[in-house]
Structure formats: structure tokens, C-alpha cells
Amino acid sequence: MAHPHLSPILPAWKSAILSLILLATTNNAAVEALSTPSSSKKVLRVCLSPGCKADGAISTFECLSAMAPPGVDVVKGGCVSLCGSGPVVELCDDIGYMAPIKKKRVKGRDSILSLLDECATKEGEGEDIEPALKPYMRDRLMNGYELSLEAHEAYAAKDYQLAVDLYTDAIQNGRKAAMILQEARSSSDTPINNNDQSDYVYPEGVQWLVTTFKNSCRSQPSKTR
């Protein structure tokens, strides 16, 4: 039975999130769109073996998915025989030209952003790819993502008022940057069929925002008439 404090999810939440993700943001002067990606994509393969999961690999996978720029795919991988050094992430490309580089202990804000910065360097050219987000906007996205994790903890502990406050802050901090980043990624995403949203799977990169929005609705006190 649902907790009496919780209201049901708003009937239109799915449409609201779709609109949120698809909202045009190209006129925002604070953000520059990413230049046309190269013919090959960088791939971040996150080891999800039991050992790496115990080291926090799921959190690393979800954070990389939320923060990854266009031209970088984040995928799930198997054991790479570096148990005890997790989470382990392999940096490679999608055409097999680049030999995989194994990164150890990729966990936390600094190591994750450092790895993403490494992905922004063109292989063999030493040039940086134009970022999809200005640095301070990327910081806001990370802040929003981290606030959403704190909100999930408050929600799980049934501290609903704190959860609402944290979810609100998470959305305010990360929503715009997440939408812009997803818009830049969208050229390689499956188009949304607006006539049938029942089976639509939200892109991995905005799953955190979807969950944040849903739980913020659930955490609101029920209104009695």
C-alpha cells in the first residue's frame, strides 16, 4: 500500500518529460553546440562484473551516461581482469582502430570528468573537440545529478520534505544543461513516435532527470479537498 503522504504520479508526467527533453534551447547564448563529430565515436565500456559493481560501477555507469557528450557512447562491459581496481572503464572507439585503454578506479566527480575530458581529444591530433556545454554549465549538470542522488537517499529514508527540496534543486540546476546535451546527442538517437509513447524508452543520458521528475511528483504531499 502506498504511503499516505505520497501522491500518485501526475497523469501527464511522461508527456511533460518528453516536452522537457525536446524543448528547443539553441538560442541560449551561454551554451555552444558541439561541432560535427568525427566518423568514429569514442566508447566508454564500464565493467559491470560483481567485483566492479561492489566498487561502485553502477554509479559510475549512470554518471558517465548522464554527462557523456555527443560522440561518446557509454556501454556496459564484462570483466577485464583488474579485480580490486574498480570501477574499471575501457576507453576505445566503435570501429576497432583505437586500442582499449583501461582506466582504474573511475569513481567520483573528478575522475569521471577527467575521463570525459580525455574523450574530447581527437586521436592522434592533439586537438580538443568543441564542448557541447560551457564549463560552468557542465558543472551545473553535475551539481544537478549529484543533488538527485542525495534526493534519492532522502526519498528512500521517507524524508519527503527534504526529498522535494533536493529534487527541486536538482531539476533547477541540471535541467537546462541536460536538455541541451541531449539535443546535441539526438542526431544518433531513435526518433520519438509521438503517436505511441507507451513503449518509449528514454535515452540513457536523461534517465536521471526522468527519475528525478517522477520521484519529485511522488514526494509531493497529497492534497485533500
Side-chain angles (χ1 to χ4, degrees):
M1 180 178 295
H3 192 282
H5 178 86
L6 303 183
S7 62
I9 302 174
L10 299 180
W13 71 262
K14 185 173 289 188
S15 296
I17 298 173
L18 283 170
S19 299
L20 192 75
I21 296 169
L22 297 175
L23 183 64
T25 53
T26 53
N27 291 330
N28 189 328
V31 183
E32 297 178 358
L34 201 147
S35 59
T36 304
S38 58
S39 57
S40 65
K41 283 188 174 184
K42 296 287 180 66
V43 177
L44 295 175
R45 187 180 298 117
V46 183
C47 173
L48 291 181
S49 67
C52 276
K53 281 184 177 180
D55 290 333
I58 292 178
S59 295
T60 294
F61 174 81
E62 292 175 348
C63 187
L64 284 170
S65 297
M67 300 297 299
V72 177
D73 287 341
V74 182
V75 301
K76 299 176 181 179
C79 184
V80 292
S81 301
L82 287 174
C83 299
S85 299
V88 177
V89 180
E90 288 185 291
L91 170 58
C92 53
D93 61 30
D94 62 349
I95 59 175
Y97 176 79
M98 176 183 177
I101 301 172
K102 297 177 182 179
K103 301 291 184 177
K104 302 177 183 179
R105 299 181 177 87
V106 181
K107 184 177 182 179
R109 183 185 188 114
D110 291 343
S111 62
I112 285 174
L113 292 180
S114 176
L115 178 56
L116 292 174
D117 286 341
E118 187 171 342
C119 291
T121 301
K122 292 182 181 180
E123 184 70 15
E125 298 180 19
E127 299 179 18
D128 288 339
I129 300 172
E130 185 71 16
L133 299 174
K134 293 285 190 180
Y136 83 92
M137 285 295 286
R138 188 173 76 161
D139 286 343
R140 286 183 65 86
L141 177 57
M142 179 62 89
N143 290 342
Y145 178 81
E146 291 179 336
L147 283 166
S148 75
L149 299 181
E150 294 181 35
H152 296 335
E153 293 180 1
Y155 181 81
K158 300 184 180 180
D159 189 344
Y160 299 115
Q161 185 55 58
L162 178 59
V164 168
D165 293 342
L166 288 169
Y167 282 130
T168 300
D169 288 345
I171 292 169
Q172 290 178 345
N173 273 272
R175 174 186 59 83
K176 183 176 290 186
M179 292 187 329
I180 293 167
L181 195 54
Q182 184 55 38
E183 184 180 358
R185 297 178 185 127
S186 63
S187 61
S188 60
D189 288 340
T190 302
I192 297 172
N193 179 358
N194 290 319
N195 296 321
D196 182 11
Q197 298 174 5
S198 59
D199 296 327
Y200 177 67
V201 177
Y202 294 100
E204 194 72 47
V206 293
Q207 286 287 354
W208 77 271
L209 186 59
V210 173
T211 302
T212 296
F213 186 89
K214 288 166 60 177
N215 284 356
S216 70
C217 294
R218 290 191 177 112
S219 301
Q220 297 288 342
S222 299
K223 295 182 179 180
T224 57
R225 296 183 179 179

PDB file of all heavy atoms in Angstrom, residues 37-54:
ATOM      1  N   PRO A  37      30.596  15.652 -35.053  1.00  0.00           N
ATOM      2  CA  PRO A  37      31.524  14.648 -34.531  1.00  0.00           C
ATOM      3  C   PRO A  37      32.290  13.953 -35.647  1.00  0.00           C
ATOM      4  O   PRO A  37      31.872  13.957 -36.801  1.00  0.00           O
ATOM      5  CB  PRO A  37      30.594  13.666 -33.795  1.00  0.00           C
ATOM      6  CG  PRO A  37      29.265  13.855 -34.436  1.00  0.00           C
ATOM      7  CD  PRO A  37      29.195  15.292 -34.841  1.00  0.00           C
ATOM      8  N   SER A  38      33.400  13.341 -35.287  1.00  0.00           N
ATOM      9  CA  SER A  38      34.198  12.620 -36.265  1.00  0.00           C
ATOM     10  C   SER A  38      33.468  11.353 -36.682  1.00  0.00           C
ATOM     11  O   SER A  38      32.457  10.973 -36.114  1.00  0.00           O
ATOM     12  CB  SER A  38      35.552  12.261 -35.653  1.00  0.00           C
ATOM     13  OG  SER A  38      35.375  11.479 -34.496  1.00  0.00           O
ATOM     14  N   SER A  39      33.998  10.667 -37.709  1.00  0.00           N
ATOM     15  CA  SER A  39      33.329   9.498 -38.256  1.00  0.00           C
ATOM     16  C   SER A  39      33.251   8.356 -37.259  1.00  0.00           C
ATOM     17  O   SER A  39      32.363   7.529 -37.334  1.00  0.00           O
ATOM     18  CB  SER A  39      34.063   9.027 -39.521  1.00  0.00           C
ATOM     19  OG  SER A  39      35.428   8.761 -39.231  1.00  0.00           O
ATOM     20  N   SER A  40      34.182   8.292 -36.337  1.00  0.00           N
ATOM     21  CA  SER A  40      34.138   7.254 -35.311  1.00  0.00           C
ATOM     22  C   SER A  40      33.788   7.866 -33.970  1.00  0.00           C
ATOM     23  O   SER A  40      34.019   9.044 -33.737  1.00  0.00           O
ATOM     24  CB  SER A  40      35.485   6.529 -35.216  1.00  0.00           C
ATOM     25  OG  SER A  40      36.486   7.418 -34.766  1.00  0.00           O
ATOM     26  N   LYS A  41      33.210   7.052 -33.106  1.00  0.00           N
ATOM     27  CA  LYS A  41      32.838   7.506 -31.779  1.00  0.00           C
ATOM     28  C   LYS A  41      33.776   6.921 -30.739  1.00  0.00           C
ATOM     29  O   LYS A  41      34.267   5.804 -30.882  1.00  0.00           O
ATOM     30  CB  LYS A  41      31.403   7.070 -31.453  1.00  0.00           C
ATOM     31  CG  LYS A  41      30.325   7.880 -32.119  1.00  0.00           C
ATOM     32  CD  LYS A  41      28.961   7.478 -31.564  1.00  0.00           C
ATOM     33  CE  LYS A  41      27.860   8.373 -32.103  1.00  0.00           C
ATOM     34  NZ  LYS A  41      26.547   8.037 -31.489  1.00  0.00           N
ATOM     35  N   LYS A  42      34.020   7.689 -29.690  1.00  0.00           N
ATOM     36  CA  LYS A  42      34.703   7.132 -28.535  1.00  0.00           C
ATOM     37  C   LYS A  42      33.688   6.288 -27.769  1.00  0.00           C
ATOM     38  O   LYS A  42      32.492   6.608 -27.719  1.00  0.00           O
ATOM     39  CB  LYS A  42      35.229   8.249 -27.636  1.00  0.00           C
ATOM     40  CG  LYS A  42      36.301   9.129 -28.274  1.00  0.00           C
ATOM     41  CD  LYS A  42      37.627   8.400 -28.376  1.00  0.00           C
ATOM     42  CE  LYS A  42      38.711   9.265 -29.006  1.00  0.00           C
ATOM     43  NZ  LYS A  42      39.092  10.421 -28.195  1.00  0.00           N
ATOM     44  N   VAL A  43      34.171   5.224 -27.172  1.00  0.00           N
ATOM     45  CA  VAL A  43      33.321   4.329 -26.395  1.00  0.00           C
ATOM     46  C   VAL A  43      33.913   4.169 -25.005  1.00  0.00           C
ATOM     47  O   VAL A  43      35.121   3.925 -24.858  1.00  0.00           O
ATOM     48  CB  VAL A  43      33.191   2.939 -27.074  1.00  0.00           C
ATOM     49  CG1 VAL A  43      32.356   1.999 -26.204  1.00  0.00           C
ATOM     50  CG2 VAL A  43      32.551   3.078 -28.454  1.00  0.00           C
ATOM     51  N   LEU A  44      33.076   4.328 -24.010  1.00  0.00           N
ATOM     52  CA  LEU A  44      33.457   4.066 -22.621  1.00  0.00           C
ATOM     53  C   LEU A  44      32.722   2.801 -22.188  1.00  0.00           C
ATOM     54  O   LEU A  44      31.503   2.805 -22.023  1.00  0.00           O
ATOM     55  CB  LEU A  44      33.089   5.255 -21.728  1.00  0.00           C
ATOM     56  CG  LEU A  44      33.837   6.556 -22.017  1.00  0.00           C
ATOM     57  CD1 LEU A  44      33.298   7.678 -21.140  1.00  0.00           C
ATOM     58  CD2 LEU A  44      35.339   6.386 -21.799  1.00  0.00           C
ATOM     59  N   ARG A  45      33.481   1.728 -22.030  1.00  0.00           N
ATOM     60  CA  ARG A  45      32.898   0.436 -21.660  1.00  0.00           C
ATOM     61  C   ARG A  45      33.140   0.208 -20.172  1.00  0.00           C
ATOM     62  O   ARG A  45      34.270   0.012 -19.733  1.00  0.00           O
ATOM     63  CB  ARG A  45      33.535  -0.680 -22.493  1.00  0.00           C
ATOM     64  CG  ARG A  45      32.873  -2.044 -22.310  1.00  0.00           C
ATOM     65  CD  ARG A  45      33.548  -3.112 -23.146  1.00  0.00           C
ATOM     66  NE  ARG A  45      33.461  -2.840 -24.569  1.00  0.00           N
ATOM     67  CZ  ARG A  45      34.509  -2.627 -25.356  1.00  0.00           C
ATOM     68  NH1 ARG A  45      35.742  -2.643 -24.861  1.00  0.00           N
ATOM     69  NH2 ARG A  45      34.339  -2.393 -26.641  1.00  0.00           N
ATOM     70  N   VAL A  46      32.065   0.234 -19.409  1.00  0.00           N
ATOM     71  CA  VAL A  46      32.159   0.136 -17.952  1.00  0.00           C
ATOM     72  C   VAL A  46      32.015  -1.317 -17.524  1.00  0.00           C
ATOM     73  O   VAL A  46      31.004  -1.969 -17.823  1.00  0.00           O
ATOM     74  CB  VAL A  46      31.064   0.987 -17.275  1.00  0.00           C
ATOM     75  CG1 VAL A  46      31.214   0.947 -15.758  1.00  0.00           C
ATOM     76  CG2 VAL A  46      31.122   2.431 -17.768  1.00  0.00           C
ATOM     77  N   CYS A  47      33.030  -1.825 -16.843  1.00  0.00           N
ATOM     78  CA  CYS A  47      32.970  -3.196 -16.344  1.00  0.00           C
ATOM     79  C   CYS A  47      31.893  -3.310 -15.275  1.00  0.00           C
ATOM     80  O   CYS A  47      31.889  -2.565 -14.295  1.00  0.00           O
ATOM     81  CB  CYS A  47      34.323  -3.604 -15.759  1.00  0.00           C
ATOM     82  SG  CYS A  47      34.306  -5.210 -14.924  1.00  0.00           S
ATOM     83  N   LEU A  48      30.967  -4.232 -15.485  1.00  0.00           N
ATOM     84  CA  LEU A  48      29.901  -4.458 -14.520  1.00  0.00           C
ATOM     85  C   LEU A  48      29.967  -5.871 -13.955  1.00  0.00           C
ATOM     86  O   LEU A  48      28.949  -6.504 -13.674  1.00  0.00           O
ATOM     87  CB  LEU A  48      28.528  -4.193 -15.155  1.00  0.00           C
ATOM     88  CG  LEU A  48      28.232  -2.728 -15.497  1.00  0.00           C
ATOM     89  CD1 LEU A  48      26.841  -2.588 -16.104  1.00  0.00           C
ATOM     90  CD2 LEU A  48      28.352  -1.837 -14.267  1.00  0.00           C
ATOM     91  N   SER A  49      31.191  -6.356 -13.779  1.00  0.00           N
ATOM     92  CA  SER A  49      31.372  -7.642 -13.108  1.00  0.00           C
ATOM     93  C   SER A  49      31.023  -7.470 -11.635  1.00  0.00           C
ATOM     94  O   SER A  49      30.945  -6.338 -11.133  1.00  0.00           O
ATOM     95  CB  SER A  49      32.829  -8.097 -13.249  1.00  0.00           C
ATOM     96  OG  SER A  49      33.687  -7.220 -12.528  1.00  0.00           O
ATOM     97  N   PRO A  50      30.783  -8.565 -10.916  1.00  0.00           N
ATOM     98  CA  PRO A  50      30.432  -8.445  -9.489  1.00  0.00           C
ATOM     99  C   PRO A  50      31.433  -7.621  -8.681  1.00  0.00           C
ATOM    100  O   PRO A  50      31.050  -6.829  -7.829  1.00  0.00           O
ATOM    101  CB  PRO A  50      30.391  -9.903  -9.017  1.00  0.00           C
ATOM    102  CG  PRO A  50      29.994 -10.671 -10.238  1.00  0.00           C
ATOM    103  CD  PRO A  50      30.677  -9.967 -11.378  1.00  0.00           C
ATOM    104  N   GLY A  51      32.741  -7.800  -8.967  1.00  0.00           N
ATOM    105  CA  GLY A  51      33.748  -7.061  -8.225  1.00  0.00           C
ATOM    106  C   GLY A  51      33.661  -5.560  -8.461  1.00  0.00           C
ATOM    107  O   GLY A  51      33.738  -4.760  -7.525  1.00  0.00           O
ATOM    108  N   CYS A  52      33.487  -5.162  -9.709  1.00  0.00           N
ATOM    109  CA  CYS A  52      33.396  -3.737 -10.018  1.00  0.00           C
ATOM    110  C   CYS A  52      32.076  -3.144  -9.527  1.00  0.00           C
ATOM    111  O   CYS A  52      32.027  -1.985  -9.119  1.00  0.00           O
ATOM    112  CB  CYS A  52      33.570  -3.501 -11.520  1.00  0.00           C
ATOM    113  SG  CYS A  52      35.308  -3.412 -12.053  1.00  0.00           S
ATOM    114  N   LYS A  53      31.019  -3.947  -9.559  1.00  0.00           N
ATOM    115  CA  LYS A  53      29.751  -3.465  -9.004  1.00  0.00           C
ATOM    116  C   LYS A  53      29.908  -3.147  -7.525  1.00  0.00           C
ATOM    117  O   LYS A  53      29.392  -2.146  -7.027  1.00  0.00           O
ATOM    118  CB  LYS A  53      28.649  -4.505  -9.201  1.00  0.00           C
ATOM    119  CG  LYS A  53      28.049  -4.536 -10.596  1.00  0.00           C
ATOM    120  CD  LYS A  53      26.896  -5.524 -10.658  1.00  0.00           C
ATOM    121  CE  LYS A  53      26.235  -5.529 -12.021  1.00  0.00           C
ATOM    122  NZ  LYS A  53      25.106  -6.486 -12.082  1.00  0.00           N
ATOM    123  N   ALA A  54      30.625  -4.028  -6.828  1.00  0.00           N
ATOM    124  CA  ALA A  54      30.863  -3.793  -5.402  1.00  0.00           C
ATOM    125  C   ALA A  54      31.683  -2.521  -5.173  1.00  0.00           C
ATOM    126  O   ALA A  54      31.583  -1.887  -4.121  1.00  0.00           O
ATOM    127  CB  ALA A  54      31.580  -4.998  -4.780  1.00  0.00           C
TER     128      ALA A  54
END
